[in-house]
Amino acid sequence: MGGGQGAGSLALPPQTSSQIIIIGGGLAGVEAAWQAARRGVKVRLYEMKPRRFSPAHQSPLLGELVCSNSLRADSVENAVGLLKEEMRRLGSLLLAAAAATRVAAGKALAVDREAFAAYLTEALENEPLVEIIREEVTELNADQTTILATGPLTSDALAGALARVTGQEHLHFYDAIAPIVYAESLDMSKVFRASRYGAGEDYLNCPFTEEEYAAFYQALMAAEQAPLRSFEEPRYFEGCLPLEVMAARGYLTLVYGPLKPVGLVDPGTGRQPFAVAQLRQENREGTLYNLVGFQTKLKYGEQERVFRLIPGLEHAEFARLGSIHRNTFIRSPGLLSPHLNFLEHPHLFLAGQISGVEGYVESGAMGLLAGINAARQAQARPLVTPPRATALGALIHHLTNTETKDFQPMNVNFGLFPPLPGRTPKKLRGAAYATRALEELEDWQRQMEEGG
Ligand SMILES: Cc1cc2nc3c(=O)[nH]c(=O)nc-3n(C[C@H](O)[C@H](O)[C@H](O)COP(=O)(O)OP(=O)(O)OC[C@H]3O[C@@H](n4cnc5c(N)ncnc54)[C@H](O)[C@@H]3O)c2cc1C
């Protein structure tokens, strides 16, 4: 931790018994601080802004939404809507802020991002049990009750400290995003609209001849990649590999992967092309399309040059170019307990994106649970975990399921829930998951209140 005046350090001064430390004042850290304070526990909340900003953060306020202003679907028949309802019932500060700063967004819950962050900041500044310290933390002390909630862009020094606690092999640093093109810049005399085998979602398809593929492949292999920082050795999700990493595995790897032509017939030739690049509609208006599977770390100029070799994209204008996200997260199964503390370091809790969930709401949800449990630990009370059939429990299950082979950060979805008993028609499943979850949540809340 930086040695700024009055900043304290994780090693100094020692905590009083009912005090916890939270590192990171983003969505998870803010919610955790609120939950702990509501339980009468003192919180020292460390936030490095405005002294230091990650590459995505811009505002000095706590609880900043770095990209979209949407907290996604509102209905409880949708898994993320259900998660929000569970959080509301557990007294979530994030959901109170969202209700107070909501903007019109159809079936989604979207907020005015400035007002949202201002609401959260003010709520914590006015909370006497919370002390906000604007310092970057660089060291961890696993002997003090601490919640690490520094997010996908955790500062380098602290990521290094975490790697020393967990073992380097359990800490991941990246995910990857694909470029987006403007529909009007496509050559529709070459591109055709179709779904594979005529079933499912429609794509725009860019057909390659063998010669066109060979030229594209050569250019891709020769293109310059954006440099990585020295300490960061990339560990990509197997399902989300950069295009050039996949291509380097062999000349035809792409033809069996993201450029596979099977099930697609070019109406121009009446035949299956040698390879096909697929474009998926990105916005409701149909003005933007993303290049499916084209996540990449090529330099921007190189991306434009190489991707314009795709038939139909010769004059493509790019709304967004591909990049590799820093996404610091832990391979949590086998490391984290269902209470969100480390099995081997029970005083150290994780919350937010770094715990292995994906998304604003999911990050906040893990903050909520970590806040409850860190507070309970500080008060020498037993730790708790929500029932498996709740959205909160489903996420915890994802983080602790040691049977997962290739662990990846995950948005909440009904696939993570235990199956419903019997056969429920598809249309009624969302409501059935929600009814079961909210009943179990109510029982759990009652038990917590009765059990002390
Ligand atoms: C570029 C980008 C765009 C994203 N867009 C979306 C989106 O549109 N929708 C969505 O649902 N999710 C999105 N996510 C994923 C994720 O939901 C968000 O990153 C979310 O903010 C994660 O919440 P968090 O609390 O874990 O981390 P954050 O909200 O990032 O909070 C972490 C906080 O910790 C602070 N911090 C970091 N290191 C230190 C340190 N050493 N000492 C003290 N403070 C520190 C940071 O300044 C920050 O305030 C995006 C992620 C990224 C990287």
Side-chain angles (χ1 to χ4, degrees):
M1 169 172 302
Q5 226 190 353
S9 142
L10 286 187
L12 292 170
Q15 284 168 275
T16 61
S17 59
S18 63
Q19 176 184 288
I20 65 167
I21 287 167
I22 298 177
I23 313 173
L27 298 173
V30 159
E31 186 67 62
W34 182 254
Q35 293 294 331
R38 296 270 65 68
R39 285 161 178 78
V41 169
K42 278 193 191 162
V43 175
R44 310 189 86 202
L45 172 62
Y46 287 89
E47 168 53 57
M48 69 178 181
K49 299 187 303 179
R51 289 185 178 209
R52 186 149 185 212
F53 286 93
S54 83
H57 288 86
Q58 294 173 356
S59 159
L61 295 170
L62 303 177
E64 178 180 356
L65 300 176
V66 286
C67 188
S68 158
N69 66 332
S70 171
L71 305 184
R72 317 204 316 273
D74 213 9
S75 160
V76 293
E77 294 179 20
N78 179 299
V80 75
L82 176 59
L83 179 62
K84 287 197 284 284
E85 179 57 23
E86 293 177 10
M87 293 170 71
R88 251 178 227 119
R89 292 183 183 202
L90 291 165
S92 162
L93 180 65
L94 295 184
L95 270 298
T101 61
R102 183 172 190 154
V103 296
K107 290 183 176 170
L109 173 58
V111 299
D112 174 323
R113 74 178 71 236
E114 271 295 308
F116 177 76
Y119 183 107
L120 296 170
T121 307
E122 208 180 310
L124 289 189
E125 282 174 352
N126 290 336
E127 168 51 64
L129 289 176
V130 177
E131 181 189 0
I132 302 167
I133 301 156
R134 300 283 189 162
E135 279 284 336
E136 178 188 357
V137 176
T138 57
E139 284 300 332
L140 282 172
N141 179 345
D143 296 329
Q144 300 193 333
T145 301
T146 302
I147 300 176
L148 183 64
T150 42
L153 304 168
T154 293
S155 71
D156 297 349
L158 192 61
L162 181 60
R164 285 193 290 281
V165 171
T166 62
Q168 182 72 38
E169 69 279 16
H170 298 297
L171 191 58
H172 298 244
F173 287 108
Y174 291 96
D175 57 24
I177 60 174
I180 293 178
V181 290
Y182 290 101
E184 64 187 10
S185 68
L186 301 174
D187 180 350
M188 295 306 287
S189 68
K190 295 186 178 168
V191 175
F192 63 96
R193 183 180 286 279
S195 60
R196 212 177 286 282
Y197 297 113
E201 206 181 338
D202 255 1
Y203 287 83
L204 293 183
N205 298 284
C206 306
F208 287 84
T209 62
E210 194 165 354
E211 296 69 38
E212 286 165 339
Y213 177 77
F216 170 76
Y217 183 81
Q218 271 180 9
L220 179 64
M221 287 292 79
E224 212 181 329
Q225 301 184 1
L228 297 169
R229 280 181 280 177
S230 57
F231 82 101
E232 296 170 326
E233 180 205 337
R235 292 200 181 87
Y236 305 113
F237 306 154
E238 198 49 38
C240 202
L241 284 176
L243 192 72
E244 61 279 8
V245 172
M246 216 182 300
R249 292 180 174 180
Y251 177 65
L252 289 178
T253 304
L254 296 179
V255 179
Y256 291 102
L259 297 187
K260 69 172 175 278
V262 291
L264 293 165
V265 175
D266 181 351
T269 63
R271 289 201 307 271
Q272 178 178 301
F274 182 78
V276 173
Q278 291 201 299
L279 310 182
R280 186 191 291 127
Q281 191 168 327
E282 178 72 22
N283 59 350
R284 197 180 296 166
E285 299 74 25
T287 53
L288 297 172
Y289 278 79
N290 74 64
L291 278 69
V292 180
F294 275 58
Q295 51 276 0
T296 177
K297 60 185 171 63
L298 295 189
K299 283 189 164 173
Y300 281 178
E302 293 287 81
Q303 289 186 38
E304 293 186 336
R305 185 176 66 77
V306 175
F307 297 156
R308 285 189 183 129
L309 295 174
I310 298 171
L313 265 65
E314 292 84 355
H315 306 291
E317 292 299 327
F318 291 83
R320 181 184 79 184
L321 287 160
S323 69
I324 303 295
H325 258 149
R326 261 286 305 275
N327 186 11
T328 312
F329 68 94
I330 287 284
R331 195 187 185 289
S332 41
L335 292 182
L336 283 190
S337 87
H339 311 120
L340 290 175
N341 53 349
F342 281 91
L343 293 164
E344 287 197 11
H345 304 284
H347 289 97
L348 183 57
F349 292 77
L350 277 194
Q353 186 107 350
I354 201 167
S355 66
V357 294
E358 171 72 37
Y360 296 150
V361 183
E362 290 84 345
S363 295
M366 294 304 99
L368 185 148
L369 292 177
I372 292 176
N373 273 327
R376 290 178 77 95
Q377 186 179 77
Q379 294 169 326
R381 296 162 76 193
L383 306 191
V384 292
T385 195
R388 170 88 174 78
T390 60
L392 288 161
L395 282 174
I396 291 287
H397 178 72
H398 174 62
L399 299 186
T400 53
N401 181 6
T402 47
E403 283 165 27
T404 311
K405 297 232 163 20
D406 175 28
F407 178 81
Q408 296 176 18
M410 191 77 105
N411 285 125
V412 69
N413 63 78
F414 286 134
L416 299 176
F417 287 57
L420 292 165
R423 287 174 74 86
T424 311
K426 208 170 172 198
K427 274 203 315 215
L428 303 177
R429 274 184 221 153
Y433 280 120
T435 305
R436 182 178 69 174
L438 294 174
E439 278 170 14
E440 293 206 13
L441 186 80
E442 201 177 320
D443 288 346
W444 182 61
Q445 279 186 275
R446 199 176 314 114
Q447 281 163 21
M448 272 201 294
E449 279 155 28
E450 286 166 5

